[in-house]
Amino acid sequence: MSEGWEPGAFKARVDQVLHRFAAEEADHLTAIDGSLGPVADAVETAVADGKRLRAAFCYWGWRAAGQPDSDAMVRAAASMELVHAAAVVHDDLIDDSPLRHGRPTAHLALHEAVRDHPEPALAARSLAMLAGDLLMSMAGQLFVTSGLPAAYLGPARPLWAALARELIAGECLEILHTGSAAPDTAVSLKVVRYKTAKYTVEQPLLIGALLGGAGERLRAGCSAYGLPLGEAFQLRDDLLGLFGDPALTGKDGSDDVRGHRPTALLAETWRLAGEEDRDHLRTLLAAGTGTAEDTDPADAVRDLMRRLKAPDRIEAMITARVEEALRALDELDLPGPAATALTRLAHSAAVRRS
């Protein structure tokens, strides 16, 4: 890899690592018993696609610490994508989401494997949960077998523990606040921070920097850059979830409304609404938890949000967080390639259509 930032070339390297590693794990599973084939397929499908942003942040944390390109580091960075794959399988299961990357989510794809089970839907969900657990285990395995010296890997272990703890905390917070009678922006932003921002940007970047021998100042700078940028990433995701093109996002555009999830977009809509609009919003969200035969309320929610200019508020939050991240980056004396790459990654993470 050249000294410059070549996203396509980097993604290809990460894809190669992930696809090979997942294929090996699939072979191990089916060697135990051929009936595990559908679970093996679910594991391979979970890592088939992705922007590989988490791997990129980890890699450029390493380079920010002054380290050269390294195939072993690319393998270590790729482990961040297995964390993401695990989180996605579990998140889709929790949210009962039907689509991911335009394909049925794992708990739906596994229905066929358990069609003769007394409770096929429950069995398929159980298989998906276990596939997600396996993906998280695979993340740790890929990291420790990356080829980096054990002396490099050891100091990163506490960060791995924090990553898992905070990711689970964020998922739990989302569940605990889903369906809140009075959505609150501060609560929603806390969910954003722990469910997504930390494991998407801050922690991969910190792990890469720590592997590269970063000192305290660089690590503090990684957090000052990574946290607001990670929040901007998820805020953009929330906008795309309701206002994006499903053909590009690969997701069901009514998921958040149907699930009455505590997004910042919903919280800002609630904050901006008067009593009449709040009553209307309550009715629409209640309809969103109804049966498949009910009228989808998502379009009416979108209209209300647009009228109250809630999407504009989220756009302003995204802009402010990207600017905060870039200011933090400017204060660090990084090697040229790392500064360029992290600047470009900031824009690509927050300004996107999928």
Short mmCIF file of all heavy atoms in Angstrom, two decimals, residues 56-119:
data_model
loop_
_atom_site.label_atom_id
_atom_site.label_comp_id
_atom_site.label_asym_id
_atom_site.label_seq_id
_atom_site.Cartn_x
_atom_site.Cartn_y
_atom_site.Cartn_z
N ALA A 56 -10.39 0.83 8.90
CA ALA A 56 -9.60 1.98 8.43
C ALA A 56 -9.18 2.86 9.60
O ALA A 56 -8.02 3.31 9.68
CB ALA A 56 -10.40 2.79 7.41
N PHE A 57 -10.08 3.13 10.53
CA PHE A 57 -9.72 3.96 11.68
C PHE A 57 -8.64 3.27 12.52
O PHE A 57 -7.72 3.92 13.01
CB PHE A 57 -10.95 4.28 12.53
CG PHE A 57 -11.83 5.34 11.92
CD1 PHE A 57 -13.13 5.05 11.55
CD2 PHE A 57 -11.35 6.63 11.72
CE1 PHE A 57 -13.94 6.03 10.97
CE2 PHE A 57 -12.14 7.61 11.15
CZ PHE A 57 -13.45 7.31 10.77
N CYS A 58 -8.75 1.96 12.69
CA CYS A 58 -7.75 1.23 13.46
C CYS A 58 -6.38 1.31 12.77
O CYS A 58 -5.36 1.60 13.40
CB CYS A 58 -8.18 -0.22 13.63
SG CYS A 58 -7.18 -1.18 14.76
N TYR A 59 -6.38 1.08 11.47
CA TYR A 59 -5.13 1.12 10.70
C TYR A 59 -4.49 2.50 10.77
O TYR A 59 -3.26 2.63 10.99
CB TYR A 59 -5.42 0.74 9.25
CG TYR A 59 -4.24 0.89 8.32
CD1 TYR A 59 -3.31 -0.13 8.18
CD2 TYR A 59 -4.05 2.06 7.58
CE1 TYR A 59 -2.22 0.00 7.32
CE2 TYR A 59 -2.97 2.20 6.73
CZ TYR A 59 -2.06 1.17 6.60
OH TYR A 59 -0.98 1.32 5.75
N TRP A 60 -5.30 3.55 10.62
CA TRP A 60 -4.72 4.89 10.60
C TRP A 60 -4.39 5.39 12.00
O TRP A 60 -3.60 6.33 12.16
CB TRP A 60 -5.61 5.85 9.84
CG TRP A 60 -5.46 5.61 8.36
CD1 TRP A 60 -6.35 4.99 7.54
CD2 TRP A 60 -4.31 5.90 7.56
NE1 TRP A 60 -5.84 4.89 6.27
CE2 TRP A 60 -4.59 5.44 6.25
CE3 TRP A 60 -3.08 6.52 7.81
CZ2 TRP A 60 -3.67 5.59 5.20
CZ3 TRP A 60 -2.17 6.66 6.77
CH2 TRP A 60 -2.47 6.20 5.49
N GLY A 61 -4.92 4.75 13.04
CA GLY A 61 -4.41 5.01 14.38
C GLY A 61 -2.97 4.53 14.50
O GLY A 61 -2.11 5.21 15.09
N TRP A 62 -2.70 3.37 13.94
CA TRP A 62 -1.34 2.81 13.89
C TRP A 62 -0.41 3.72 13.12
O TRP A 62 0.70 4.05 13.57
CB TRP A 62 -1.43 1.43 13.24
CG TRP A 62 -0.20 0.78 12.73
CD1 TRP A 62 0.31 0.89 11.46
CD2 TRP A 62 0.67 -0.12 13.42
NE1 TRP A 62 1.44 0.12 11.32
CE2 TRP A 62 1.69 -0.52 12.51
CE3 TRP A 62 0.70 -0.64 14.71
CZ2 TRP A 62 2.71 -1.40 12.86
CZ3 TRP A 62 1.72 -1.52 15.06
CH2 TRP A 62 2.70 -1.88 14.14
N ARG A 63 -0.86 4.17 11.95
CA ARG A 63 -0.02 5.04 11.12
C ARG A 63 0.16 6.41 11.77
O ARG A 63 1.21 7.05 11.61
CB ARG A 63 -0.63 5.19 9.72
CG ARG A 63 -0.70 3.90 8.91
CD ARG A 63 0.67 3.38 8.49
NE ARG A 63 1.38 4.34 7.70
CZ ARG A 63 1.26 4.47 6.37
NH1 ARG A 63 0.43 3.68 5.70
NH2 ARG A 63 1.96 5.36 5.70
N ALA A 64 -0.87 6.89 12.51
CA ALA A 64 -0.76 8.17 13.21
C ALA A 64 0.34 8.12 14.26
O ALA A 64 0.93 9.15 14.59
CB ALA A 64 -2.09 8.53 13.85
N ALA A 65 0.59 6.92 14.78
CA ALA A 65 1.66 6.76 15.77
C ALA A 65 3.03 6.65 15.13
O ALA A 65 4.03 6.42 15.83
CB ALA A 65 1.39 5.52 16.63
N GLY A 66 3.10 6.84 13.81
CA GLY A 66 4.38 6.84 13.11
C GLY A 66 4.83 5.50 12.58
O GLY A 66 5.98 5.36 12.14
N GLN A 67 3.93 4.50 12.59
CA GLN A 67 4.30 3.17 12.14
C GLN A 67 4.11 3.03 10.62
O GLN A 67 3.27 3.71 10.02
CB GLN A 67 3.47 2.11 12.86
CG GLN A 67 3.69 2.08 14.36
CD GLN A 67 5.07 1.54 14.73
OE1 GLN A 67 5.81 1.04 13.91
NE2 GLN A 67 5.40 1.67 16.02
N PRO A 68 4.85 2.12 9.99
CA PRO A 68 4.72 1.92 8.54
C PRO A 68 3.57 0.97 8.22
O PRO A 68 2.99 0.34 9.12
CB PRO A 68 6.06 1.27 8.18
CG PRO A 68 6.42 0.47 9.40
CD PRO A 68 5.95 1.31 10.57
N ASP A 69 3.28 0.85 6.93
CA ASP A 69 2.27 -0.11 6.48
C ASP A 69 2.69 -1.51 6.92
O ASP A 69 3.88 -1.85 6.96
CB ASP A 69 2.13 -0.05 4.96
CG ASP A 69 1.10 -1.05 4.45
OD1 ASP A 69 0.00 -1.09 5.02
OD2 ASP A 69 1.43 -1.80 3.52
N SER A 70 1.68 -2.34 7.24
CA SER A 70 1.97 -3.68 7.76
C SER A 70 0.79 -4.59 7.47
O SER A 70 -0.36 -4.27 7.81
CB SER A 70 2.21 -3.61 9.27
OG SER A 70 2.04 -4.86 9.88
N ASP A 71 1.06 -5.74 6.84
CA ASP A 71 0.00 -6.71 6.60
C ASP A 71 -0.56 -7.24 7.91
O ASP A 71 -1.77 -7.50 8.02
CB ASP A 71 0.51 -7.87 5.75
CG ASP A 71 0.75 -7.48 4.30
OD1 ASP A 71 0.14 -6.48 3.85
OD2 ASP A 71 1.53 -8.16 3.62
N ALA A 72 0.30 -7.42 8.90
CA ALA A 72 -0.17 -7.88 10.21
C ALA A 72 -1.12 -6.87 10.82
O ALA A 72 -2.14 -7.23 11.43
CB ALA A 72 1.02 -8.13 11.13
N MET A 73 -0.82 -5.58 10.64
CA MET A 73 -1.70 -4.55 11.18
C MET A 73 -3.05 -4.55 10.45
O MET A 73 -4.09 -4.32 11.06
CB MET A 73 -1.04 -3.17 11.08
CG MET A 73 -1.87 -2.06 11.71
SD MET A 73 -2.22 -2.37 13.47
CE MET A 73 -3.83 -1.61 13.61
N VAL A 74 -3.04 -4.81 9.15
CA VAL A 74 -4.30 -4.88 8.41
C VAL A 74 -5.16 -6.02 8.96
O VAL A 74 -6.37 -5.89 9.11
CB VAL A 74 -4.04 -5.06 6.90
CG1 VAL A 74 -5.34 -5.35 6.15
CG2 VAL A 74 -3.38 -3.80 6.33
N ARG A 75 -4.52 -7.15 9.29
CA ARG A 75 -5.27 -8.26 9.90
C ARG A 75 -5.84 -7.86 11.26
O ARG A 75 -7.00 -8.14 11.57
CB ARG A 75 -4.38 -9.49 10.04
CG ARG A 75 -4.13 -10.25 8.75
CD ARG A 75 -3.18 -11.44 8.97
NE ARG A 75 -3.69 -12.38 9.96
CZ ARG A 75 -4.59 -13.32 9.72
NH1 ARG A 75 -5.10 -13.45 8.50
NH2 ARG A 75 -4.99 -14.15 10.67
N ALA A 76 -5.02 -7.20 12.06
CA ALA A 76 -5.51 -6.74 13.36
C ALA A 76 -6.67 -5.77 13.19
O ALA A 76 -7.68 -5.84 13.90
CB ALA A 76 -4.38 -6.11 14.15
N ALA A 77 -6.52 -4.85 12.24
CA ALA A 77 -7.58 -3.87 11.99
C ALA A 77 -8.85 -4.53 11.49
O ALA A 77 -9.97 -4.12 11.84
CB ALA A 77 -7.09 -2.83 10.98
N ALA A 78 -8.71 -5.59 10.69
CA ALA A 78 -9.88 -6.29 10.16
C ALA A 78 -10.73 -6.90 11.27
O ALA A 78 -11.94 -7.10 11.10
CB ALA A 78 -9.44 -7.38 9.17
N SER A 79 -10.12 -7.18 12.41
CA SER A 79 -10.89 -7.74 13.52
C SER A 79 -11.98 -6.78 13.98
O SER A 79 -13.02 -7.22 14.51
CB SER A 79 -9.96 -8.09 14.69
OG SER A 79 -9.42 -6.93 15.29
N MET A 80 -11.77 -5.47 13.78
CA MET A 80 -12.81 -4.50 14.15
C MET A 80 -14.09 -4.73 13.34
O MET A 80 -15.20 -4.47 13.81
CB MET A 80 -12.31 -3.07 13.90
CG MET A 80 -11.08 -2.65 14.68
SD MET A 80 -11.34 -2.52 16.45
CE MET A 80 -10.48 -4.00 17.00
N GLU A 81 -13.92 -5.22 12.10
CA GLU A 81 -15.09 -5.49 11.26
C GLU A 81 -15.86 -6.71 11.73
O GLU A 81 -17.08 -6.81 11.51
CB GLU A 81 -14.65 -5.65 9.80
CG GLU A 81 -14.01 -4.42 9.20
CD GLU A 81 -14.95 -3.22 9.16
OE1 GLU A 81 -16.18 -3.41 9.03
OE2 GLU A 81 -14.46 -2.07 9.26
N LEU A 82 -15.18 -7.64 12.37
CA LEU A 82 -15.88 -8.79 12.94
C LEU A 82 -16.68 -8.38 14.18
O LEU A 82 -17.76 -8.91 14.44
CB LEU A 82 -14.89 -9.91 13.28
CG LEU A 82 -14.30 -10.61 12.06
CD1 LEU A 82 -13.14 -11.50 12.46
CD2 LEU A 82 -15.37 -11.45 11.35
N VAL A 83 -16.15 -7.43 14.96
CA VAL A 83 -16.93 -6.86 16.06
C VAL A 83 -18.20 -6.23 15.50
O VAL A 83 -19.31 -6.44 16.02
CB VAL A 83 -16.11 -5.80 16.83
CG1 VAL A 83 -16.99 -5.07 17.85
CG2 VAL A 83 -14.92 -6.43 17.52
N HIS A 84 -18.05 -5.48 14.42
CA HIS A 84 -19.20 -4.83 13.79
C HIS A 84 -20.19 -5.87 13.27
O HIS A 84 -21.42 -5.72 13.45
CB HIS A 84 -18.72 -3.93 12.65
CG HIS A 84 -19.83 -3.27 11.90
ND1 HIS A 84 -20.81 -2.53 12.52
CD2 HIS A 84 -20.12 -3.24 10.57
CE1 HIS A 84 -21.66 -2.06 11.60
NE2 HIS A 84 -21.27 -2.49 10.43
N ALA A 85 -19.68 -6.92 12.62
CA ALA A 85 -20.57 -7.95 12.09
C ALA A 85 -21.37 -8.60 13.21
O ALA A 85 -22.58 -8.85 13.07
CB ALA A 85 -19.75 -9.01 11.34
N ALA A 86 -20.72 -8.87 14.33
CA ALA A 86 -21.42 -9.43 15.49
C ALA A 86 -22.49 -8.47 15.99
O ALA A 86 -23.64 -8.88 16.27
CB ALA A 86 -20.42 -9.74 16.60
N ALA A 87 -22.13 -7.19 16.10
CA ALA A 87 -23.08 -6.19 16.59
C ALA A 87 -24.28 -6.07 15.65
O ALA A 87 -25.42 -5.91 16.11
CB ALA A 87 -22.38 -4.84 16.73
N VAL A 88 -24.03 -6.15 14.35
CA VAL A 88 -25.11 -6.03 13.37
C VAL A 88 -26.07 -7.21 13.48
O VAL A 88 -27.30 -7.03 13.47
CB VAL A 88 -24.52 -5.95 11.95
CG1 VAL A 88 -25.57 -6.25 10.90
CG2 VAL A 88 -23.93 -4.56 11.71
N VAL A 89 -25.55 -8.43 13.57
CA VAL A 89 -26.41 -9.61 13.69
C VAL A 89 -27.27 -9.49 14.95
O VAL A 89 -28.49 -9.73 14.92
CB VAL A 89 -25.58 -10.90 13.71
CG1 VAL A 89 -26.45 -12.10 14.08
CG2 VAL A 89 -24.93 -11.13 12.34
N HIS A 90 -26.66 -9.11 16.06
CA HIS A 90 -27.41 -8.96 17.30
C HIS A 90 -28.40 -7.79 17.23
O HIS A 90 -29.54 -7.91 17.70
CB HIS A 90 -26.45 -8.75 18.47
CG HIS A 90 -25.73 -9.99 18.88
ND1 HIS A 90 -24.48 -9.97 19.46
CD2 HIS A 90 -26.07 -11.31 18.80
CE1 HIS A 90 -24.09 -11.21 19.73
NE2 HIS A 90 -25.04 -12.03 19.34
N ASP A 91 -27.98 -6.68 16.64
CA ASP A 91 -28.85 -5.51 16.55
C ASP A 91 -30.07 -5.80 15.68
O ASP A 91 -31.19 -5.43 16.03
CB ASP A 91 -28.05 -4.33 15.97
CG ASP A 91 -28.73 -2.99 16.20
OD1 ASP A 91 -29.15 -2.73 17.33
OD2 ASP A 91 -28.86 -2.23 15.23
N ASP A 92 -29.85 -6.46 14.55
CA ASP A 92 -30.98 -6.82 13.69
C ASP A 92 -31.93 -7.76 14.40
O ASP A 92 -33.16 -7.70 14.20
CB ASP A 92 -30.46 -7.48 12.40
CG ASP A 92 -29.79 -6.49 11.46
OD1 ASP A 92 -30.01 -5.28 11.60
OD2 ASP A 92 -29.04 -6.95 10.57
N LEU A 93 -31.38 -8.63 15.21
CA LEU A 93 -32.20 -9.55 15.98
C LEU A 93 -33.03 -8.80 17.03
O LEU A 93 -34.24 -9.01 17.17
CB LEU A 93 -31.28 -10.58 16.66
CG LEU A 93 -31.90 -11.71 17.46
CD1 LEU A 93 -32.81 -12.55 16.59
CD2 LEU A 93 -30.80 -12.58 18.05
N ILE A 94 -32.38 -7.91 17.76
CA ILE A 94 -33.07 -7.11 18.78
C ILE A 94 -34.17 -6.26 18.16
O ILE A 94 -35.29 -6.17 18.68
CB ILE A 94 -32.06 -6.21 19.53
CG1 ILE A 94 -31.11 -7.07 20.37
CG2 ILE A 94 -32.77 -5.19 20.40
CD1 ILE A 94 -29.89 -6.33 20.87
N ASP A 95 -33.85 -5.64 17.02
CA ASP A 95 -34.79 -4.72 16.37
C ASP A 95 -35.78 -5.42 15.45
O ASP A 95 -36.68 -4.77 14.90
CB ASP A 95 -34.02 -3.68 15.55
CG ASP A 95 -33.19 -2.75 16.42
OD1 ASP A 95 -33.46 -2.67 17.63
OD2 ASP A 95 -32.27 -2.12 15.88
N ASP A 96 -35.59 -6.73 15.24
CA ASP A 96 -36.41 -7.50 14.31
C ASP A 96 -36.40 -6.86 12.92
O ASP A 96 -37.42 -6.77 12.24
CB ASP A 96 -37.85 -7.62 14.82
CG ASP A 96 -38.59 -8.79 14.18
OD1 ASP A 96 -37.92 -9.73 13.71
OD2 ASP A 96 -39.84 -8.76 14.14
N SER A 97 -35.22 -6.42 12.50
CA SER A 97 -35.07 -5.79 11.19
C SER A 97 -35.11 -6.84 10.09
O SER A 97 -34.51 -7.91 10.22
CB SER A 97 -33.74 -5.03 11.11
OG SER A 97 -33.71 -3.99 12.06
N PRO A 98 -35.78 -6.55 8.98
CA PRO A 98 -35.90 -7.55 7.92
C PRO A 98 -34.76 -7.55 6.91
O PRO A 98 -34.50 -8.57 6.26
CB PRO A 98 -37.21 -7.17 7.23
CG PRO A 98 -37.32 -5.69 7.43
CD PRO A 98 -36.68 -5.40 8.76
N LEU A 99 -34.09 -6.39 6.74
CA LEU A 99 -33.10 -6.27 5.67
C LEU A 99 -31.79 -5.70 6.17
O LEU A 99 -31.76 -4.84 7.06
CB LEU A 99 -33.62 -5.36 4.55
CG LEU A 99 -34.78 -5.86 3.69
CD1 LEU A 99 -35.24 -4.76 2.75
CD2 LEU A 99 -34.38 -7.11 2.90
N ARG A 100 -30.70 -6.15 5.57
CA ARG A 100 -29.36 -5.60 5.80
C ARG A 100 -28.61 -5.78 4.49
O ARG A 100 -28.53 -6.87 3.95
CB ARG A 100 -28.66 -6.33 6.93
CG ARG A 100 -27.22 -5.90 7.19
CD ARG A 100 -27.12 -4.54 7.83
NE ARG A 100 -27.74 -4.44 9.14
CZ ARG A 100 -27.57 -3.42 9.97
NH1 ARG A 100 -26.79 -2.40 9.62
NH2 ARG A 100 -28.19 -3.38 11.13
N HIS A 101 -28.06 -4.69 3.96
CA HIS A 101 -27.38 -4.73 2.66
C HIS A 101 -28.29 -5.31 1.57
O HIS A 101 -27.83 -5.99 0.65
CB HIS A 101 -26.08 -5.53 2.73
CG HIS A 101 -25.05 -4.93 3.63
ND1 HIS A 101 -24.52 -3.68 3.42
CD2 HIS A 101 -24.47 -5.41 4.76
CE1 HIS A 101 -23.64 -3.41 4.38
NE2 HIS A 101 -23.60 -4.43 5.21
N GLY A 102 -29.59 -5.05 1.72
CA GLY A 102 -30.53 -5.51 0.71
C GLY A 102 -30.86 -6.99 0.77
O GLY A 102 -31.60 -7.50 -0.08
N ARG A 103 -30.34 -7.69 1.77
CA ARG A 103 -30.61 -9.12 1.92
C ARG A 103 -31.36 -9.38 3.22
O ARG A 103 -31.28 -8.58 4.15
CB ARG A 103 -29.30 -9.91 1.94
CG ARG A 103 -28.54 -9.91 0.63
CD ARG A 103 -27.41 -10.94 0.68
NE ARG A 103 -26.40 -10.55 1.65
CZ ARG A 103 -25.27 -9.91 1.33
NH1 ARG A 103 -25.04 -9.57 0.08
NH2 ARG A 103 -24.39 -9.60 2.26
N PRO A 104 -32.08 -10.52 3.32
CA PRO A 104 -32.73 -10.85 4.59
C PRO A 104 -31.70 -10.93 5.71
O PRO A 104 -30.58 -11.44 5.52
CB PRO A 104 -33.35 -12.23 4.32
CG PRO A 104 -33.52 -12.28 2.84
CD PRO A 104 -32.36 -11.52 2.27
N THR A 105 -32.05 -10.41 6.87
CA THR A 105 -31.15 -10.46 8.01
C THR A 105 -31.00 -11.91 8.48
O THR A 105 -31.78 -12.79 8.10
CB THR A 105 -31.69 -9.57 9.14
OG1 THR A 105 -33.09 -9.82 9.31
CG2 THR A 105 -31.50 -8.11 8.80
N ALA A 106 -29.99 -12.14 9.31
CA ALA A 106 -29.62 -13.52 9.66
C ALA A 106 -30.78 -14.30 10.25
O ALA A 106 -30.99 -15.48 9.89
CB ALA A 106 -28.45 -13.49 10.64
N HIS A 107 -31.56 -13.69 11.14
CA HIS A 107 -32.63 -14.43 11.80
C HIS A 107 -33.76 -14.79 10.85
O HIS A 107 -34.53 -15.71 11.13
CB HIS A 107 -33.16 -13.67 13.02
CG HIS A 107 -33.74 -12.34 12.71
ND1 HIS A 107 -32.96 -11.22 12.49
CD2 HIS A 107 -35.03 -11.92 12.61
CE1 HIS A 107 -33.74 -10.17 12.27
NE2 HIS A 107 -35.00 -10.58 12.33
N LEU A 108 -33.86 -14.10 9.71
CA LEU A 108 -34.83 -14.47 8.69
C LEU A 108 -34.23 -15.47 7.70
O LEU A 108 -34.89 -16.43 7.29
CB LEU A 108 -35.32 -13.23 7.94
CG LEU A 108 -36.11 -12.22 8.78
CD1 LEU A 108 -36.60 -11.08 7.91
CD2 LEU A 108 -37.29 -12.90 9.47
N ALA A 109 -32.96 -15.25 7.34
CA ALA A 109 -32.31 -16.16 6.40
C ALA A 109 -32.21 -17.58 6.96
O ALA A 109 -32.18 -18.55 6.20
CB ALA A 109 -30.91 -15.63 6.06
N LEU A 110 -32.17 -17.70 8.28
CA LEU A 110 -32.01 -19.02 8.91
C LEU A 110 -33.33 -19.76 9.10
O LEU A 110 -33.33 -20.91 9.57
CB LEU A 110 -31.31 -18.87 10.26
CG LEU A 110 -29.79 -18.59 10.15
CD1 LEU A 110 -29.26 -18.01 11.45
CD2 LEU A 110 -29.05 -19.86 9.77
N HIS A 111 -34.45 -19.16 8.70
CA HIS A 111 -35.75 -19.82 8.84
C HIS A 111 -35.78 -21.17 8.13
O HIS A 111 -36.31 -22.15 8.66
CB HIS A 111 -36.87 -18.92 8.29
CG HIS A 111 -37.48 -18.04 9.33
ND1 HIS A 111 -38.80 -17.65 9.32
CD2 HIS A 111 -36.95 -17.46 10.44
CE1 HIS A 111 -39.06 -16.88 10.36
NE2 HIS A 111 -37.94 -16.74 11.04
N GLU A 112 -35.26 -21.19 6.92
CA GLU A 112 -35.33 -22.41 6.12
C GLU A 112 -34.62 -23.58 6.80
O GLU A 112 -35.06 -24.73 6.70
CB GLU A 112 -34.72 -22.16 4.73
CG GLU A 112 -34.75 -23.35 3.78
CD GLU A 112 -36.17 -23.83 3.45
OE1 GLU A 112 -37.12 -23.03 3.59
OE2 GLU A 112 -36.30 -24.99 3.04
N ALA A 113 -33.55 -23.28 7.53
CA ALA A 113 -32.78 -24.34 8.18
C ALA A 113 -33.57 -25.02 9.29
O ALA A 113 -33.25 -26.17 9.66
CB ALA A 113 -31.49 -23.77 8.75
N VAL A 114 -34.57 -24.34 9.83
CA VAL A 114 -35.32 -24.89 10.97
C VAL A 114 -36.81 -24.99 10.65
O VAL A 114 -37.65 -24.93 11.55
CB VAL A 114 -35.10 -24.03 12.24
CG1 VAL A 114 -33.69 -24.20 12.77
CG2 VAL A 114 -35.38 -22.54 11.96
N ARG A 115 -37.13 -25.19 9.39
CA ARG A 115 -38.55 -25.22 8.99
C ARG A 115 -39.33 -26.34 9.67
O ARG A 115 -40.55 -26.26 9.82
CB ARG A 115 -38.68 -25.33 7.46
CG ARG A 115 -38.10 -26.59 6.86
CD ARG A 115 -38.19 -26.55 5.33
NE ARG A 115 -37.71 -27.77 4.71
CZ ARG A 115 -36.43 -28.04 4.49
NH1 ARG A 115 -35.50 -27.14 4.84
NH2 ARG A 115 -36.08 -29.18 3.94
N ASP A 116 -38.65 -27.43 10.06
CA ASP A 116 -39.32 -28.56 10.72
C ASP A 116 -39.29 -28.45 12.24
O ASP A 116 -39.78 -29.34 12.94
CB ASP A 116 -38.68 -29.88 10.29
CG ASP A 116 -38.83 -30.13 8.79
OD1 ASP A 116 -39.87 -29.72 8.24
OD2 ASP A 116 -37.92 -30.72 8.19
N HIS A 117 -38.68 -27.40 12.75
CA HIS A 117 -38.62 -27.19 14.21
C HIS A 117 -40.02 -26.84 14.73
O HIS A 117 -40.79 -26.18 14.03
CB HIS A 117 -37.64 -26.04 14.50
CG HIS A 117 -37.26 -25.91 15.94
ND1 HIS A 117 -38.08 -25.29 16.86
CD2 HIS A 117 -36.15 -26.30 16.62
CE1 HIS A 117 -37.50 -25.30 18.05
NE2 HIS A 117 -36.32 -25.91 17.93
N PRO A 118 -40.38 -27.27 15.95
CA PRO A 118 -41.70 -26.94 16.49
C PRO A 118 -41.97 -25.43 16.56
O PRO A 118 -43.11 -25.00 16.43
CB PRO A 118 -41.67 -27.54 17.90
CG PRO A 118 -40.67 -28.63 17.83
CD PRO A 118 -39.62 -28.17 16.85
N GLU A 119 -40.91 -24.63 16.77
CA GLU A 119 -41.04 -23.17 16.80
C GLU A 119 -39.98 -22.57 15.89
O GLU A 119 -38.95 -22.07 16.36
CB GLU A 119 -40.89 -22.64 18.23
CG GLU A 119 -41.96 -23.13 19.19
CD GLU A 119 -41.84 -22.49 20.55
OE1 GLU A 119 -42.13 -21.27 20.65
OE2 GLU A 119 -41.44 -23.19 21.49
#
